[in-house]
Each structure stands twice: as C-alpha cells, then as structure tokens.
Amino acid sequence: MSLATTINNLLFKRTSTFLLTVAACTFFFERTFDGSTEYLFEKLNEGKLWKHIKQNYEK
Amino acid sequence: MLQSTKLSSYVRTANQVISNNLKTAAPNAIIPKKLVTAPPCELLLNESLRHHQPIGKIVLKSGPAFSTQVRMAHTDIRVPDFSYYRRTEVMDPNKKSSDSREARQNLTYLISGAGVLGGVYSAKAVVTQFLSSMSASADVLALAKIEIKLADIPEGKSVTFKWRGKPLFIRHRTAEEIDAEKNVAVSSLRDPQHDHERVQRPEFLVVIGVCTHLGCVPIANSGDFGGYYCPCHGSHYDASGRIRKGPAPLNLEVPTYEYVDDLLIVG
C-alpha cells in the first residue's frame, strides 16, 4: 500500500476523518501562521513598538 | 423531330471535341415524378371528418404477450460519449474505479481541505475578534482595579471596600483563626473547599461581600463561626468565608487578586 493510498484511506475517504484532519491541521496552521506573521511584523517594525522602547520610559 | 441514330455521329464528334482535361459533365439529375396528393381538407363537417377516421374494425391488443411499445429509447438513442470528460484512470469501463481512487481524489481533497482550513482559520479569527470586542478593554480593566495597603488593616479586623459596585471584604486573620480554619474537615462542608484554596496568604482573606443566598451584604465578625453573618436569612460564614449554616448554597466568592510586595491588587 503506497503512501497515497494510506493517506486516502485514513484521511480523505470518510467525511468525518476528512473534517477531523482539517481541524487538526488548522490548529497547527494557526500556530505557525500567527507566530510567523507576528514575528515578521515585529521584525519590520523593529524599534517602533512599545515593547522595544519600553525601557527608555519605565524605571 | 430528329431520330437519335441520325444524331449519334454529331454527338460523338461533339464529345470528342470537349474531351480534354476537363471532367465530363455529370449526368442529368433525375427529377422525381411529382406526387399528387389531395390537399389537406379542413375538418368542418362529418364528410371531412370521416376521411380522418380509421376505417374498419379497430382491434387493440394488450397484455404480457403483446408489446404495445412502439419505440424503445435505447434502440435509437445513442449513448453519449463522455470520454472527453473522463479522467484517464477511469477511461476503461472494465477497470474498477476504486483501484484508482487515491490517484484521482488525493489532489482534489487536498485542495478542498486547504480551502476548508482557510475558512476555519478565518472563521475562528472573526469570532475571536467579535467576542474580544465584547470584553472590557485594558484601560477599563485597569480602572476597575483596587489597590489596598495591607499594613493599614490591623489584625483581627475585617475592612470593607467598594470594588466594581460590590462590597469587598478584606480580613486580617489572627493566628487562631488561621489554625481553626485549616483544621476544619473539608468533607463536613456544604461547599467543600480547603482554606488554602481560598487564600493566597493565610493572614488575609479576600472575599466579595455578597451573600450567595440572595445577595445581601453579610456582617463581619459575627455569626456562630466567627466570620460573617448574613442578617437577611441567617447564613453563617466562617473566617474563611465558607458557608457553615443557613440557607446559602455556596461559599463567599473569592475575586482574582495578587500581591505586589505589601500591596494587594484586586481585579
């Protein structure tokens, strides 16, 4: 049984497993996507955000 | 009228004259004999109707032995050819389609799955955004906090503050009270909670002063258990704010609070 067959039988064949797969993938996708976009935003706005200039104003 | 035999010599010569590379003329088209039919008569009277009625005895046979079906669809309608629309895997009608399922479906399901994933992700983001818009913002929450200097509260005293429109009891407990509350058997309580679940520092009890029965404000340092006593219906709370006697079903509510050095921040 090839990998494609295994994937099809386990994940895509039934609607329930398909949706479960989507839900599980969404969880990881959200984590990575949110994290990476947040990181990118902070990288592009280096030195402009409050948390970067906080130490200049707070004791 | 000329006879054909007399003409034949002339015709041949004529034929020989034009017999070059050009094609010989096509034979004359046969004009069919014009069929003369009676003009369709208007159905007006019995006479004209009679021509349209069947003549003679009409016999209609039916039953399993006689086929009354004149025209069968499958005999003259050709099955359309769908091979243009078929995938190459299912072109052969003798092959099982389930054998090539993964080859046909995987990419489709992957794409639709990715679409659903995006939809779920966006739906979650929208719902979260909407719900978070209903919760209090950080500046409102900061204003809704109360800071209390604990050094101002003498031992054995219960002080009442107003916090978010509700009375807040802060009780500086004595060592005896702390010991007594620690040794209460949890199983004997109506709303079983150990004392250490209700206080962060054993010296200070922080509870919301609203009776869990019908919402009266209990009186501090009174009642059978030395804690709080609700005058409305006689609920007795102990020095940990737990219900011990009377109609109230639950212990006094403990708000979220934290200590910053010697400062108590409730909220």
Side-chain angles (χ1 to χ4, degrees):
Chain A
M1 211 155 71
S2 68
L3 181 70
T5 316
T6 316
I7 288 174
N8 188 278
N9 284 340
L10 286 177
L11 306 179
F12 296 153
K13 201 171 172 185
R14 289 164 179 269
T15 307
S16 55
T17 51
F18 175 66
L19 292 179
L20 204 67
T21 311
V22 168
C25 289
T26 309
F27 177 76
F28 294 107
F29 171 75
E30 188 190 29
R31 301 278 311 222
T32 48
F33 185 72
D34 285 359
S36 50
T37 46
E38 191 74 23
Y39 174 79
L40 189 70
F41 178 80
E42 279 168 22
K43 204 80 186 162
L44 292 172
N45 293 290
E46 190 83 64
K48 296 179 196 167
L49 299 172
W50 171 245
K51 65 172 163 187
H52 298 144
I53 56 167
K54 207 173 175 180
Q55 71 277 2
N56 300 336
Y57 300 97
E58 281 185 345
K59 295 175 276 171
Chain B
M1 209 169 154
L2 289 166
Q3 287 205 347
S4 61
T5 46
K6 287 184 180 175
L7 266 176
S8 61
S9 57
Y10 298 103
V11 172
R12 191 171 294 141
T13 46
N15 274 348
Q16 280 166 352
V17 167
I18 56 161
S19 69
N20 48 14
N21 282 337
L22 287 171
K23 280 178 186 173
T24 51
N28 288 336
I30 299 155
I31 300 162
K33 219 181 187 180
K34 198 168 185 188
L35 215 69
V36 182
T37 49
C41 57
E42 273 188 286
L43 302 176
L44 297 170
L45 295 169
N46 278 352
E47 175 64 21
S48 53
L49 271 171
R50 204 160 55 82
H51 291 296
H52 286 262
Q53 280 165 351
I55 305 154
K57 244 186 181 176
I58 301 165
V59 178
L60 185 69
K61 288 177 179 176
S62 72
F66 302 101
S67 172
T68 48
Q69 195 169 11
V70 178
R71 169 184 164 272
M72 294 186 185
H74 67 266
T75 55
D76 54 358
I77 296 177
R78 276 169 59 204
V79 176
D81 182 18
F82 288 113
S83 55
Y84 175 76
Y85 303 99
R86 282 185 202 279
R87 296 186 187 224
T88 47
E89 292 92 341
V90 287
M91 206 67 101
D92 186 356
N94 298 318
K95 269 188 191 170
K96 281 176 93 175
S97 63
S98 61
D99 292 343
S100 60
R101 196 180 50 230
E102 63 274 349
R104 285 178 290 116
Q105 288 186 350
N106 271 6
L107 185 65
T108 312
Y109 274 70
L110 201 70
I111 292 166
S112 57
V116 176
L117 188 145
V120 170
Y121 173 77
S122 342
K124 196 232 168 190
V126 168
V127 169
T128 315
Q129 190 100 15
F130 178 67
L131 289 182
S132 65
S133 75
M134 293 200 280
S135 65
S137 55
D139 58 335
V140 174
L141 280 179
L143 285 173
K145 285 183 182 194
I146 185 171
E147 291 180 14
I148 295 149
K149 266 189 194 166
L150 291 173
D152 295 347
I153 304 170
E155 204 175 287
K157 267 262 188 187
S158 180
V159 189
T160 309
F161 295 93
K162 192 184 170 187
W163 175 70
R164 296 188 188 173
K166 282 174 277 189
L168 181 78
F169 293 157
I170 294 164
R171 186 185 186 92
H172 194 166
R173 301 194 292 188
T174 59
E176 299 89 65
E177 278 178 330
I178 295 165
D179 273 348
E181 297 309 332
K182 268 184 182 164
N183 294 326
V184 171
V186 175
S187 56
S188 70
L189 296 169
R190 182 177 299 165
D191 184 8
Q193 259 189 319
H194 196 266
D195 188 48
H196 66 70
E197 293 172 53
R198 297 181 53 79
V199 288
Q200 286 180 22
R201 287 184 192 175
E203 303 87 51
F204 291 100
L205 170 74
V206 183
V207 286
I208 293 173
V210 175
C211 179
T212 53
H213 179 221
L214 288 174
C216 293
V217 179
I219 299 159
N221 288 326
S222 55
D224 293 356
F225 296 90
Y228 299 92
Y229 171 70
C230 180
C232 293
H233 301 94
S235 295
H236 297 260
Y237 298 92
D238 62 15
S240 186
R242 296 176 294 195
I243 179 67
R244 302 295 288 271
K245 194 178 161 187
L250 297 169
N251 302 333
L252 289 179
E253 193 188 333
V254 179
T256 48
Y257 62 92
E258 58 178 344
Y259 291 103
V260 178
D261 299 326
D262 205 26
L263 209 63
L264 171 71
I265 298 165
V266 182

